[in-house]
Amino acid sequence: MIIATGTASGKSLAYQVPALSSVLDGGTALYLTPTKALAADQLRALEALDVPGLRAAAYDGDTPYEERAWIRRHANYVLTNPDMLHRGLLPGHARWSGFWRRLRTVVVDECHGYRGVFGSHVAQILRRLRRVCTRYGSSPVFVLASATASDPGAFATRLTGLQTAEVTTDASPRGSITFALWEPPLTDLRGEGGAPVRRPAAAETADLLADLVLDGTRTLAFVRSRRAAESVALSARARLSDLASGMFSRPSPGMVTPPPPSRTAPASLTSLADLPGRIAAYRAGYLAEERRGLERALRSGDLLGLATTNALELGVDVSGLDAVLIAGWPGTRASLWQQAGRAGRAGQDALAVLIARDDPLDTYLVHHPEALFGRPVEAIVLDPGNPYVLGPHLCAAAAEIPLTEEDLEIFGPTSKEVLASLVGDGLLRRRPSGWFWTRRERATDLADIRGSGGAPVQVVELSTGCLLGTVDESSAHTTVHTGAVYVHQGETFLVTELDLEAGVALVEAGTPDYTTFARDVTEISVLESFRSHPLGPGELHFGSVEVTRQVVSYLKRRLQSGEPLGDEALDLPPRTLRTRAVWWTLPASAISPLAEAGLDLGGAAHAAEHASIGMLPLFATCDRWDIGGVSTELHADTGMLTVFVYDGHEGGAGFAERGFSRALEWLTATREAIASCECERGCPSCIQSPKCGNGNEPLDKAGALRLLAVLLSMNG
């Protein structure tokens, strides 16, 4: 079953009752969450119940090794995450035999977080879990919970492979939320092509956080990256310190009045000098003790302001918050309402502010609030049958328990074909009784469930030889290239060398006042068109493509202002990707009048491509960095002007297919986003892209509007 009701509606109680009943009846319960923070919060809530006979424990990367043996032998309520289930519990199932035999309930909390490639991996992990349970004679009930799942029953069935009942009636009391859309002003700075530069969303967020804390308003500020969390907290503290020292007077936020604080600020906070110490950052990478301490301080009111990544988006009980600031569109309506729902959780009124980034989608949303309010959340896209996802999990399943013909139904209709490919590649061996894993390596290493495959690149500090972290291979070209700014646990490093053969990126500590964006050039060829239909005078297609991408340079932007500081060339090899794409074409007869009128067709198509990439996340549960695009005035495979948008994951992730199914809405919104931007010739808020390998040239804003008008003309 899936419980799909609003934030703070009592979902936790609804699944804790059957889970605890299982435990008290001699059984066991397994709780799965996308984040460690939520598992720690749920463990705290369970321990507070003081239920006799309950032996609850978190089993994740933070669990000391000396405690793990005790948990395997004695715990009857285990809280973990898909990563640990994939790499620890399932491969070592024999050591958990007593737990599996008595397993009655599996809770999958905040399940809407399982989307795209990650969600497809989790779907296969849950199928492996079901198979292990069958081996030990148990058949647990799966209870899923989400505040923002669209079509919850169908999604839950796709995720678990089981028929699912829905619980969607929500009668819980809740206060009102005042929701503001905030667009930072344009500055006097100029970017590429003389385009105006908008004040960064992080800088606006820091100012608003400082103002709200000054009012005694307990506030969470959600930002996009670990570095931004540190930067926003630091800037807000500096702003309050400056106010305390009398360097400038307090400005008015000038938008909406925040709700009254939920409680009187402690006496120590009446001193302005104390306020900077009541703001902190929270993100992954901190020690477990540090994260738990910050959560306690936020709940108690010792902290008034917290800048955080989405690590606190899901379910963590931080009752008593008054306001939430959201620095940039978080990717989906589901995430927007999850983040906004962190405020007002004790039933009081609350404030939520979405602060737009310099991005086409953010620009569109602040000018089209109807796209946010009164609309259902997005359908959750996942494709468990993707062979690049399914293959590694079939290997892992065979290593756990040899696969048989009867198992294939669990893994889906494409499993037999994928198994044949795995046997051909020497990864599995076929015998009369089934398929066997015969290698010495760990089969689970084949599946990078939060990345996209390939051996990870190690990030090593040059002066000490210390391993700081790893980056998945597919992201290394864009995140740890030579010259890149790399942030680890609040410290900033500069990449001095990326050695792809050795799989190592060497870094040195530094304090640059800029950030970096990798830029690439792309070539694309059509392998097969699966579906197509007319779109205006042109055609729309969805199919298989081969993409060749090469990172050619990186752009530096000043942190506080967003001002571009220059482009540095890189020499990296191209990477080839077979994936899925949506593309549209226009014949010569439709565009010849535009060419005769002097329109730059290549620049118009390029601008339309950039803007459509920026807008697709509104219609598919993805980030613009999950997708890519190519545009050309004359493509070799189509013989026409063509604009492609493709999934950035091997085998596809479902995003392009979603774009195909909602193309008319998507492309109409793309045109409206370009038209609503106040710039004259194009800027990062409409048609410029930070990852364009051609330096955002050529781009034609007026031409993109006319080109999209032609494409959409026969569809209103």
Side-chain angles (χ1 to χ4, degrees):
M1 63 178 292
I2 180 168
I3 306 166
T5 55
T7 302
S9 59
K11 292 185 297 297
S12 296
L13 181 62
Y15 62 66
Q16 280 174 356
V17 169
L20 289 171
S21 296
S22 300
V23 169
L24 296 176
D25 196 33
T28 60
L30 181 68
Y31 172 90
L32 292 175
T33 170
T35 67
K36 295 177 185 177
L38 182 53
D41 185 69
Q42 287 295 315
L43 179 59
R44 179 189 60 80
L46 285 168
E47 290 173 340
L49 295 174
D50 197 22
V51 176
L54 174 64
R55 298 184 298 278
Y59 193 89
D60 56 34
D62 291 339
T63 306
Y65 281 93
E66 58 271 19
E67 293 182 15
R68 297 187 181 191
W70 183 93
I71 294 171
R72 287 193 295 268
R73 289 194 299 267
H74 302 295
N76 51 20
Y77 196 126
V78 173
L79 301 93
T80 188
N81 52 57
D83 311 76
M84 188 60 81
L85 185 61
H86 166 61
R87 293 188 173 275
L89 277 74
L90 293 178
H93 61 84
R95 293 183 294 172
W96 291 81
S97 58
F99 184 85
W100 301 129
R101 287 191 183 96
R102 297 180 293 131
L103 185 60
R104 308 278 182 82
T105 306
V106 177
V107 176
V108 185
D109 202 3
E110 304 291 354
C111 60
H112 57 271
Y114 302 127
R115 60 179 187 261
V117 173
F118 177 47
S120 301
H121 279 292
V122 173
Q124 292 298 348
I125 292 169
L126 293 179
R127 285 157 174 77
R128 286 164 50 201
L129 171 62
R130 289 170 49 204
R131 185 167 169 266
V132 166
C133 289
T134 300
R135 169 66 176 266
Y136 290 96
S138 64
S139 181
V141 173
F142 283 73
V143 182
L144 293 81
S146 170
T148 51
S150 175
D151 195 5
F155 161 65
T157 294
R158 197 164 178 78
L159 185 65
T160 63
L162 298 167
Q163 288 301 310
T164 309
E166 295 181 357
V167 177
T168 56
T169 302
D170 184 353
S172 59
R174 61 188 62 246
S176 64
I177 295 181
T178 299
F179 211 115
L181 304 179
W182 180 279
E183 185 173 40
L186 293 172
T187 68
D188 294 331
L189 299 172
R190 288 292 178 266
E192 291 180 315
V197 175
R198 201 172 292 280
R199 189 164 189 253
E204 293 282 296
T205 302
D207 286 355
L208 290 170
L209 178 60
D211 289 341
L212 288 165
V213 167
L214 194 59
D215 276 328
T217 303
R218 291 170 57 184
T219 305
L220 265 184
F222 284 103
V223 295
R224 300 272 294 185
S225 68
R226 297 179 179 187
R227 178 170 186 160
E230 301 281 1
S231 174
V232 166
L234 186 64
S235 297
R237 286 196 296 264
R239 182 178 179 84
L240 289 173
S241 295
D242 290 343
L243 282 169
S245 62
M247 291 184 63
F248 54 81
S249 59
R250 178 196 176 200
S252 168
M255 47 160 206
V256 293
T257 303
S262 56
R263 65 194 68 178
T264 304
S268 61
L269 296 181
T270 58
S271 168
L272 188 57
D274 292 337
L275 286 178
R278 299 302 190 267
I279 295 177
Y282 180 105
R283 58 171 179 77
Y286 286 170
L287 295 175
E289 296 81 5
E290 294 175 312
R291 294 197 302 270
R292 302 295 92 81
L294 288 169
E295 292 163 20
R296 287 193 298 271
L298 187 63
R299 280 193 293 268
S300 68
D302 290 341
L303 278 178
L304 277 182
L306 195 64
T308 178
T309 59
N310 62 1
L312 278 180
E313 174 184 318
L314 301 176
V316 177
D317 183 8
V318 283
S319 300
L321 292 180
D322 305 304
V324 164
L325 304 175
I326 303 169
W329 172 245
T332 64
R333 293 188 195 92
S335 287
L336 180 76
W337 295 116
Q338 282 289 143
Q339 293 181 4
R342 295 307 95 191
R345 286 176 66 86
Q348 76 270 21
D349 294 348
L351 168 69
V353 186
L354 173 63
I355 300 134
R357 289 179 301 151
D358 213 0
D359 177 271
L361 180 50
D362 290 47
T363 300
Y364 175 83
L365 291 172
V366 295
H367 290 278
H368 295 82
E370 69 278 2
L372 289 178
F373 305 112
R375 294 285 188 95
V377 296
E378 305 86 351
I380 300 172
V381 178
L382 69 155
D383 181 14
N386 180 335
Y388 296 94
V389 172
L390 176 58
H393 288 286
L394 288 173
C395 289
E400 289 154 8
I401 306 165
L403 285 163
T404 66
E405 289 280 354
E406 290 73 25
D407 293 326
L408 302 190
E409 184 179 350
I410 295 177
F411 293 101
T414 61
S415 56
K416 195 156 192 174
E417 180 183 344
V418 174
L419 278 172
S421 176
L422 295 171
V423 171
D425 292 340
L427 291 169
L428 293 181
R429 183 172 297 174
R430 178 71 194 268
R431 291 175 179 164
S433 57
W435 292 266
F436 291 77
W437 174 259
T438 58
R439 296 187 167 213
R440 289 188 173 184
E441 303 95 325
R442 285 170 55 93
T444 52
D445 290 342
L446 295 175
D448 179 10
I449 72 171
R450 293 185 189 259
S452 54
V457 172
Q458 296 182 322
V459 182
V460 176
E461 187 172 13
L462 183 60
S463 59
T464 65
C466 177
L467 176 64
L468 299 180
T470 60
V471 176
D472 63 270
E473 187 270 339
S474 63
S475 300
H477 290 224
T478 55
T479 58
V480 289
H481 56 76
T482 301
V485 174
Y486 177 79
V487 180
H488 176 73
Q489 296 191 10
E491 296 184 46
T492 304
F493 298 84
L494 287 170
V495 180
T496 60
E497 181 186 358
L498 172 60
D499 187 337
L500 292 171
E501 289 188 6
V504 173
L506 299 176
V507 302
E508 290 182 329
T511 56
D513 65 346
Y514 59 85
T515 188
T516 52
F517 297 88
R519 316 184 84 161
D520 59 35
V521 293
T522 308
E523 294 181 359
I524 193 166
S525 57
V526 176
L527 300 179
E528 183 181 358
S529 175
F530 300 142
R531 300 195 293 277
S532 65
H533 61 73
L535 182 63
E539 280 196 341
L540 183 76
H541 293 259
F542 169 70
S544 176
V545 296
E546 184 172 87
V547 178
T548 302
R549 299 174 60 194
Q550 184 174 17
V551 174
V552 294
S553 65
Y554 65 95
L555 175 68
K556 297 179 181 178
R557 284 189 184 275
R558 198 176 299 280
L559 272 174
Q560 292 300 316
S561 66
E563 176 188 5
L565 301 176
D567 208 44
E568 301 285 342
L570 291 170
D571 182 18
L572 289 168
R575 301 183 77 254
T576 300
L577 176 75
R578 287 202 171 197
T579 186
R580 305 292 173 89
V582 55
W583 66 93
W584 52 267
T585 62
L586 281 172
S589 58
I591 60 176
S592 55
L594 301 180
E596 292 167 2
L599 188 75
D600 178 0
L601 291 174
H606 193 194
E609 171 217 327
H610 282 181
S612 61
I613 290 172
M615 289 301 297
L616 184 56
L618 186 61
F619 301 93
T621 49
C622 67
D623 187 274
R624 70 176 298 162
W625 301 94
D626 290 327
I627 53 180
V630 176
S631 58
T632 176
E633 189 174 342
L634 183 65
H635 192 270
D637 294 330
T638 66
M640 290 179 276
L641 182 148
T642 310
V643 173
F644 296 86
V645 176
Y646 61 85
D647 291 346
H649 299 272
E650 193 75 42
F655 308 137
E657 186 171 15
R658 190 71 181 167
F660 177 82
S661 66
R662 301 190 64 183
L664 185 57
E665 298 168 84
W666 166 39
L667 295 172
T668 299
T670 298
R671 188 177 187 280
E672 290 175 357
I674 299 172
S676 63
C677 184
E678 61 197 279
C679 73
E680 182 179 347
R681 299 177 56 192
C683 70
S685 293
C686 57
I687 62 172
Q688 289 187 349
S689 169
K691 57 180 182 175
C692 178
N694 296 312
N696 283 302
E697 292 289 344
L699 290 176
D700 186 336
K701 178 178 179 178
L705 290 170
R706 294 184 64 184
L707 193 67
L708 288 167
V710 169
L711 179 69
L712 300 167
S713 60
M714 295 184 67
N715 295 275

